[in-house]
């Protein structure tokens, strides 16, 4: 049970880190609202199924929980790649503007 809580917290922390990087790299408040909604879409399934698994304590393999972990990990990886791309573009634009 403790391992489930640790994995859930680590997965959600990586997802949150990815979105924090995106928040800090964009200054548009309207886009930040969209990113909060996207974060909730990525975080909610894992949180719901982890809480459900802890409350009900299923005896068999909880396939939905495994799929929720995979979904969150893939979602986190995509968000992290997008955050890196945004940071590289922002840094490149700052370097170009300083040269001119």
């Amino acid at each position: 049970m403790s391992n489930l809580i640790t994995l859930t917290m680590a997965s959600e922390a990586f997802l949150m880190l990815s979105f924090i990087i995106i928040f800090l790299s964009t200054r548009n408040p309207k886009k930040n609202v969209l990113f909060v909604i996207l974060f909730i879409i990525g975080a909610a399934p894992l949180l719901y199924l982890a809480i459900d698994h802890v409350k009900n304590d299923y005896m068999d393999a909880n396939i939905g929980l495994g799929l929720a972990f995979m979904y969150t990990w893939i979602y986190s990886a995509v968000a992290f790649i997008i955050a890196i791309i945004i940071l590289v573009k922002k840094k490149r634009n700052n370097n170009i503007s300083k040269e001119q």
Side-chain angles (χ1 to χ4, degrees), residues 9-65:
M9 289 178 64
S11 298
E12 296 293 338
F14 185 66
L15 179 64
M16 187 177 291
L17 174 71
S18 302
F19 276 94
I20 286 174
I21 292 171
I22 293 173
F23 289 146
L24 295 176
S25 63
T26 59
R27 298 288 185 207
N28 189 351
K30 291 181 182 178
K31 283 187 178 179
N32 286 344
V33 171
L34 173 68
F35 292 137
V36 168
I37 293 170
L38 289 174
F39 172 73
I40 292 171
I41 289 171
L46 179 60
L47 289 176
Y48 173 75
L49 287 171
I51 292 169
D52 180 55
H53 184 76
V54 169
K55 279 188 165 186
N56 293 328
D57 197 26
Y58 296 109
M59 297 303 285
D60 60 343
N62 191 348
I63 302 300
L65 183 61

Side-chain angles (χ1 to χ4, degrees), residues 65-84:
L65 183 61
L67 290 173
F69 270 108
M70 289 301 296
Y71 170 76
T72 303
W73 293 337
I74 292 170
Y75 200 84
S76 298
V78 170
F80 194 69
I81 290 169
I82 290 171
I84 290 172

